[in-house]
Amino acid sequence: EQAALKAKQQFDARQGFVLQAARDGQRIDTVERELFRQLLGLGHTLLSAFVVQQGGGDLGPQVETAGGQIARRLPERHDRRYLSIFGELTSARVVYGSREGQKIERVPLDERLGLPEGEFSYVLEGWGQRLCLKESFAEAGHSLEMLLGLRLGTRALEGMDRDVAEYAPAFQASLEVPPPDEEGPLLVVTADGKGVPMRRPPQEGPKPHHRRTKGEKANKKQMACVGAVYSIEPFVRKAEDIIDEVLREEKAGRRPEPQHKHVWAEMTREVGGIEIPAKEGLFCHLYAESIARNLGHDRPVICLLDGERALWDAQEVYFPEAVGILDLFHVLERLWAVAHCFHAEGGDGARQYVEGRLRDLLRGRVGYVIAGLRRRLNGGRLSGLKRKVVK
């Protein structure tokens, strides 16, 4: 009742604030920011009232545990910290366990409220993880503080990320095979690798100077691989249609949508003391998914990859019968690099060169393109760097 009364007083105060701001002629963005901050406080009061309404979870002197054992009510109550999007809450709970070891076996209030194992609410976890996907942990923490007034450190967000990741294998195992009537006639497998820079602990003392050897990278990276399996309808186009789309940015109509696209991500990790490369772990997932979805069907399998040699080596092992397709945008990057060896960047010459070579490749004239590059390489005066790019 006290919490409900406090919430009503806060709501009345919010109304008074809006009316006073209107009389004072305040800017709407100023009112918007302050009103949002005050509404967070009102939400905290109402959520507190909801928790108090549940009581302490007292089910009597003893209860039965999930394993069929009898647990007794312990004399002292145990406080539980819960961090919601509205702020921190603390609930005093009745707990059941063994008096001798003071081991907690059941907490009825936690069960009734569906509280998470940690202290962060599921809503806060969801918002935090969405921000961490797009930004660094530190930047995500700053964004949450700016929006909600909550200060979560980098370590807290990293721990939240690890806790959430533990549920990924069970979630993947629970995914059912899509219904056959919802699948397209083509089954596509795609994968890509990315080097992830790893942060190292700061070194004490002066940083030693080190001259990198040939092939050594400027920073240490750990390989991450992302892949997906989906089905799709065929999309028949001519070479000119593709050129219009990728060079002239003219969207093609009626583009089919991928069906039941399932995505995995893997990093190099150790299992039982054995290091499993990211690509091996990823392609195991892709292989199992494609087998399950193609069981009893005869859909052609297409492997869509970029130019990384290791991906194609994995394709030969896991999908030897698949139709291999080199990602067109990966080819375009190379064509533009070569074009800028012969023509000025931003000029019509480079664009016409790329368009001509791309048209030849789409029409299957690969040998013609290679022969033309060889003639240019032997007949032109190019710097060592440009010759290397053309090769």
Side-chain angles (χ1 to χ4, degrees), residues 223-225 266-269 276-283:
M223 181 57 66
C225 283
E266 281 283 345
M267 292 189 72
T268 301
R269 54 196 171 97
I276 301 193
K279 293 183 181 65
E280 295 295 330
L282 175 65
F283 271 84

Side-chain angles (χ1 to χ4, degrees), residues 74-386:
L74 300 182
E76 68 279 359
R77 293 203 173 195
H78 289 243
D79 290 343
R80 167 74 186 265
R81 180 177 183 261
Y82 179 78
L83 191 59
S84 73
I85 58 174
F86 302 114
E88 182 178 336
L89 301 176
T90 302
S91 58
R93 308 119 72 224
V94 174
V95 298
Y96 292 83
S98 60
R99 292 182 182 275
E100 296 78 13
Q102 296 290 305
K103 182 181 179 182
I104 298 176
E105 301 288 350
R106 278 194 66 183
V107 186
L109 182 60
D110 290 8
E111 298 171 2
R112 185 185 308 168
L113 294 175
L115 294 180
E117 293 183 7
E119 59 185 18
F120 301 112
S121 79
Y122 289 127
V123 181
L124 182 58
E125 277 188 346
W127 291 11
Q129 290 305 294
R130 281 185 174 275
L131 290 172
C132 290
L133 285 173
K134 303 295 183 181
E135 306 170 339
S136 67
F137 290 113
E139 291 169 340
H142 293 323
S143 297
L144 285 174
E145 184 176 3
M146 180 187 68
L147 294 171
L148 303 176
L150 299 177
R151 183 171 296 179
L152 295 182
T154 298
R155 288 188 178 181
L157 290 169
E158 288 178 344
M160 186 189 300
D161 185 72
R162 285 191 293 268
D163 293 340
V164 172
E166 293 180 358
Y167 295 95
F171 170 75
Q172 291 175 348
S174 68
L175 293 176
E176 298 181 355
V177 178
D181 58 344
E182 296 181 7
E183 294 273 42
L186 301 177
L187 193 63
V188 181
V189 177
T190 182
D192 195 8
K194 180 68 176 178
V196 181
M198 306 303 294
R199 293 183 60 184
R200 307 295 179 186
Q203 296 181 351
E204 296 183 0
K207 186 177 180 180
H209 293 283
H210 173 66
R211 183 176 180 85
R212 296 195 302 272
T213 59
K214 184 178 181 180
E216 184 179 358
K217 303 298 183 182
N219 50 21
K220 299 294 183 181
K221 292 185 178 182
Q222 187 169 340
M223 181 57 66
C225 283
V226 180
V229 175
Y230 59 89
S231 64
I232 198 168
E233 294 284 340
F235 189 35
V236 181
R237 291 172 292 175
K238 298 179 181 179
E240 292 300 327
D241 298 329
I242 299 176
I243 292 173
D244 286 341
E245 188 172 352
V246 299
L247 293 184
R248 304 187 181 101
E249 298 181 356
E250 296 179 8
K251 281 192 174 182
R254 307 183 314 279
R255 175 180 290 277
E257 294 289 336
Q259 301 299 315
H260 298 284
K261 186 175 184 178
H262 293 170
V263 183
W264 292 265
E266 281 283 345
M267 292 189 72
T268 301
R269 54 196 171 97
E270 284 192 6
V271 177
I274 301 175
E275 185 179 272
I276 301 193
K279 293 183 181 65
E280 295 295 330
L282 175 65
F283 271 84
C284 284
H285 286 300
L286 300 178
Y287 177 76
E289 170 82 1
S290 64
I291 290 296
R293 292 175 65 163
N294 222 7
L295 189 63
H297 305 280
D298 193 22
R299 300 187 187 94
V301 179
I302 296 171
C303 272
L304 176 63
L305 307 170
D306 67 14
E308 185 179 353
R309 184 69 259 174
L311 292 175
W312 291 102
D313 291 341
Q315 180 260 332
E316 291 179 1
V317 174
Y318 290 91
F319 301 98
E321 304 299 326
V323 178
I325 296 181
L326 180 64
D327 178 25
L328 183 63
F329 290 97
H330 185 84
V331 177
L332 275 175
E333 291 177 359
R334 303 303 178 94
L335 287 179
W336 280 110
V338 172
H340 293 150
C341 293
F342 305 126
H343 306 279
E345 295 190 25
D348 292 337
R351 185 179 185 85
Q352 292 172 2
Y353 178 87
V354 170
E355 182 175 333
R357 301 296 78 72
L358 179 59
R359 182 179 290 104
D360 291 332
L361 292 175
L362 291 172
R363 290 174 175 173
R365 303 175 66 186
V366 180
Y368 175 81
V369 175
I370 294 176
L373 286 174
R374 285 176 176 165
R375 287 195 300 271
R376 286 255 190 169
L377 189 62
N378 296 329
R381 295 182 179 180
L382 300 176
S383 65
L385 178 60
K386 288 184 177 182

